[in-house]
Amino acid sequence: MRIARLKYAHSDPLFKYSGLNPVPVSNNESIKLILENEVDVAFVPLTYAAYHCDVVNMVPYFAVYSRGPVLSARLFKGSGRGYAAVEDTSVNAGALTALMGISFERVLNPHEALKRYEGVLVIGDEALRMTALGLPYITDVGELWEERIGKPLVYAIMVARVGVSGGELMGVVNGIRRSLNSFMSNPEPLIRDVANRLNVPEWVVRDYLMKSIKYEVNDEVIDGVITELEVLKLPKCLRILPRQC
């Protein structure tokens, strides 16, 4: 089965020990590969999945979400006026628009943008690097969502193309489960690898992967997805597959 994973560090525990061979992609690329029939299973931002519910179903085992500060999605404080966001964000930009009433111009270089904008929304690995540097920020998106909404903020969900084989899909689920269990039983090697790759202190990665980011989907997360669709004013046609085990 053809699989895509998000290229950011938050997905490493899901795939490092899975035995799968996923294609690493950006948030924006993830849904494109599904729509172009290049992959069968992917982790896709909830925003994109919601608009393509005729093509994908949610696989209710794993997602990328947070409860409280997330570290990798922050509105960093700049010295200009107005707000900007990096290209590869949709969920976090939507959350801040809904909760703070602000809109964003899109930028490629967040460090340069800090000189021109009052706030710059940065996500993923670059946000972790900026967090490690101690750059001042206006708000952490996960923390603000927890304060205002009080439910999980779901960044990306696991989706499968409509009509994929249930047996093959469960093989992917079991591989991801195996990887996550391996990581949780011995997290330090992967933490060191990610810290070296991103050139950040190990404590940042440890806090991020062990405390901030969460993966296993339960009823609370499903409820969070439904609430998020409402708050972000997204279509509510997404079908959630039944759990097989």
Side-chain angles (χ1 to χ4, degrees):
M1 184 167 281
R2 303 166 300 172
I3 308 161
R5 59 153 285 181
L6 295 175
K7 64 182 181 179
Y8 303 111
H10 60 52
S11 292
D12 285 3
L14 296 172
F15 288 97
K16 176 68 173 180
Y17 310 107
S18 67
L20 304 169
N21 188 31
V23 179
V25 296
S26 68
N27 288 330
N28 293 337
E29 293 168 337
S30 61
I31 190 63
K32 291 179 182 178
L33 292 188
I34 287 277
L35 295 177
E36 294 169 1
N37 198 26
E38 294 294 326
V39 300
D40 304 299
V41 177
F43 279 77
V44 172
L46 179 61
T47 42
Y48 298 150
Y51 281 109
H52 296 284
C53 54
D54 58 327
V55 178
V56 299
N57 294 321
M58 178 177 173
V59 182
Y61 295 91
F62 303 104
V64 180
Y65 66 97
S66 67
R67 289 298 308 257
V70 70
L71 306 183
S72 65
R74 285 182 166 178
L75 183 64
F76 288 93
K77 188 175 183 179
S79 55
R81 299 183 64 182
Y83 298 93
V86 293
E87 294 280 356
D88 204 31
T89 177
S90 59
V91 170
N92 289 290
L96 291 189
T97 295
L99 299 182
M100 297 178 66
I102 59 178
S103 58
F104 298 95
E105 295 183 24
R106 297 292 174 155
V107 295
L108 295 175
N109 187 327
H111 295 274
E112 177 65 27
L114 289 173
K115 304 173 185 177
R116 297 186 287 122
Y117 295 93
E118 177 182 347
V120 180
L121 174 61
V122 187
I123 66 160
D125 295 351
E126 190 57 36
L128 288 179
R129 294 187 186 99
M130 295 170 75
T131 294
L133 290 173
L135 297 187
Y137 64 96
I138 297 169
T139 190
D140 178 295
V141 182
E143 185 172 23
L144 182 65
W145 189 269
E146 177 71 15
E147 291 174 354
R148 299 278 186 88
I149 306 300
K151 294 184 179 181
L153 176 54
V154 181
Y155 306 100
I157 60 172
M158 184 178 178
V159 301
R161 287 181 56 83
V162 172
V164 301
S165 163
E168 288 187 274
L169 180 57
M170 287 309 299
V172 176
V173 168
N174 290 334
I176 293 173
R177 181 180 291 124
R178 181 169 58 249
S179 183
L180 188 57
N181 288 342
S182 295
F183 168 70
M184 296 304 294
S185 66
N186 184 23
E188 292 305 313
L190 181 54
I191 288 172
R192 286 194 297 270
D193 287 349
V194 172
N196 289 334
R197 186 175 80 240
L198 300 186
N199 193 27
V200 300
E202 289 183 13
W203 69 263
V204 173
V205 179
R206 187 175 295 108
D207 282 358
Y208 182 55
L209 295 181
M210 300 297 293
K211 298 178 182 178
S212 296
I213 289 293
K214 303 183 186 303
Y215 302 103
E216 296 195 54
V217 170
N218 53 27
D219 290 344
E220 182 182 53
V221 176
I222 297 298
D223 185 52
V225 166
I226 295 170
T227 297
E228 194 168 325
L229 294 173
E230 294 174 352
V231 174
L232 272 56
K233 296 181 171 57
L234 297 170
K236 301 174 185 177
C237 56
L238 185 64
R239 179 172 180 261
I240 304 172
L241 294 175
R243 292 176 68 94
Q244 297 184 30
C245 64

